[in-house]
Amino acid sequence: MSVTSRYRNAWEGFWREAPGGTGAVFWDAEPGVTAAVHVSLLEPHLTDPGLPLVDLGCGNGTQTRFLAGRFPRVLGTDIAEAALEHARDADPAGLARYRRLDASEKTEAEALHAELGDANVYMRGVLHQCDPDDRQPLADTLATLVGERGRAFLVELSEIARPVLGALAQSPSGPPAKLAPVFRHGLTPGEVADAAVPEYLRDAGLTILASGELPLATTEFTAQGEPIALPSRWLVAGRPA
């Protein structure tokens, strides 16, 4: 089984098991504390807000639907068809379009760029979930999709999030209910070193235009009832004007 096949099967299994509805999975926080914050960081760097926006790794589409209210054309993509079924079910008005995309496949990225032209890209927490062999191809896909005029916004868990997640997983009472399926399906959050993320982008031919740190909201709580937010780093990348 190829690396990508293992990864796809893990996500199909996760999303087939996941209940419907906003907030049902660990990272499915309200857009007001996720995508809205990220868009405010991306907007100053956009060369053309009218470009299509691709939500890469859209999952059940919670953030995609928000983005569709801020950008004229939004496409949510995911490797798992089960995730896209959730997204379409939650978007009966068709605010956005949804499509399966293997973002590690060069030919699929090139075909999408040929269809859309240059695009802005939003990607939240995808790179750190990829298997190592797929990380540079994923960064190459970002470069293909943004082309000359687009901008990419990425937010990824910081490397210091990994011990936080480990402590939650090893809690005497077990991991929080929404985090348990992540580990059960063999998904591995927090696996990428902070310094590696900009290097993947630079090796893909992109320039880092802005970066910073933020807490990444989740939908889960500690045993003491405190909301869980994980340290993350964000970047805006593109080709220089």
Side-chain angles (χ1 to χ4, degrees), residues 12 14 19 31 46 53 59 63 78 81 96 101 141 153 162 166 168 171 175 180 188 201 218 225 229 237:
E12 288 285 2
F14 175 87
L46 295 175
L53 184 134
Q63 312 307 318
D78 204 277
E81 188 59 43
L101 178 74
T141 285
F153 181 91
R162 187 176 182 186
L168 291 170
S171 168
T188 53
L201 298 175
T218 77

Side-chain angles (χ1 to χ4, degrees), residues 21-110:
T22 301
V25 299
F26 182 69
W27 52 80
D28 195 30
E30 288 290 335
V33 294
T34 48
V37 176
H38 302 150
V39 166
S40 71
L41 297 168
L42 169 63
E43 284 179 330
H45 303 281
L46 295 175
T47 61
D48 185 351
L51 293 178
L53 184 134
V54 178
D55 183 1
L56 196 61
C58 69
N60 63 359
T62 298
Q63 312 307 318
T64 320
R65 295 189 296 279
F66 170 83
L67 294 167
R70 301 290 295 268
F71 295 90
R73 293 176 292 163
V74 174
L75 174 67
T77 72
D78 204 277
I79 196 171
E81 188 59 43
L84 298 172
E85 290 173 6
H86 281 292
R88 294 185 185 107
D89 287 346
D91 188 8
L95 300 174
R97 295 186 296 132
Y98 304 92
R99 180 182 308 180
R100 202 194 73 80
L101 178 74
D102 183 345
S104 68
E105 286 291 333
K106 179 180 180 180
T107 55
E108 292 193 28
E110 289 174 340

Side-chain angles (χ1 to χ4, degrees), residues 55-219:
D55 183 1
L56 196 61
C58 69
N60 63 359
T62 298
Q63 312 307 318
T64 320
R65 295 189 296 279
F66 170 83
L67 294 167
R70 301 290 295 268
F71 295 90
R73 293 176 292 163
V74 174
L75 174 67
T77 72
D78 204 277
I79 196 171
E81 188 59 43
L84 298 172
E85 290 173 6
H86 281 292
R88 294 185 185 107
D89 287 346
D91 188 8
L95 300 174
R97 295 186 296 132
Y98 304 92
R99 180 182 308 180
R100 202 194 73 80
L101 178 74
D102 183 345
S104 68
E105 286 291 333
K106 179 180 180 180
T107 55
E108 292 193 28
E110 289 174 340
L112 184 56
H113 182 261
E115 176 186 339
L116 298 179
D118 291 356
N120 296 313
V121 180
Y122 176 73
M123 192 173 84
R124 182 174 66 108
V126 176
L127 191 66
H128 75 260
Q129 289 282 11
C130 286
D131 287 311
D133 288 350
D134 284 341
R135 291 172 190 157
Q136 188 60 55
L138 176 59
D140 294 341
T141 285
L142 289 173
T144 296
L145 294 179
V146 302
E148 296 300 321
R149 297 182 297 144
R151 295 289 183 258
F153 181 91
L154 292 75
V155 60
E156 296 289 338
L157 293 184
S158 301
E159 59 191 45
I160 59 173
R162 187 176 182 186
V164 177
L165 288 165
L168 291 170
Q170 296 166 17
S171 168
S173 58
K178 294 178 185 177
L179 183 58
V182 176
F183 294 113
R184 186 165 62 250
H185 287 279
L187 305 171
T188 53
E191 290 290 323
V192 181
D194 294 345
V197 177
E199 286 305 310
Y200 286 128
L201 298 175
R202 292 187 185 105
D203 288 347
L206 297 176
T207 297
I208 308 304
L209 305 172
S211 63
E213 300 180 4
L214 279 174
L216 190 63
T218 77
T219 61

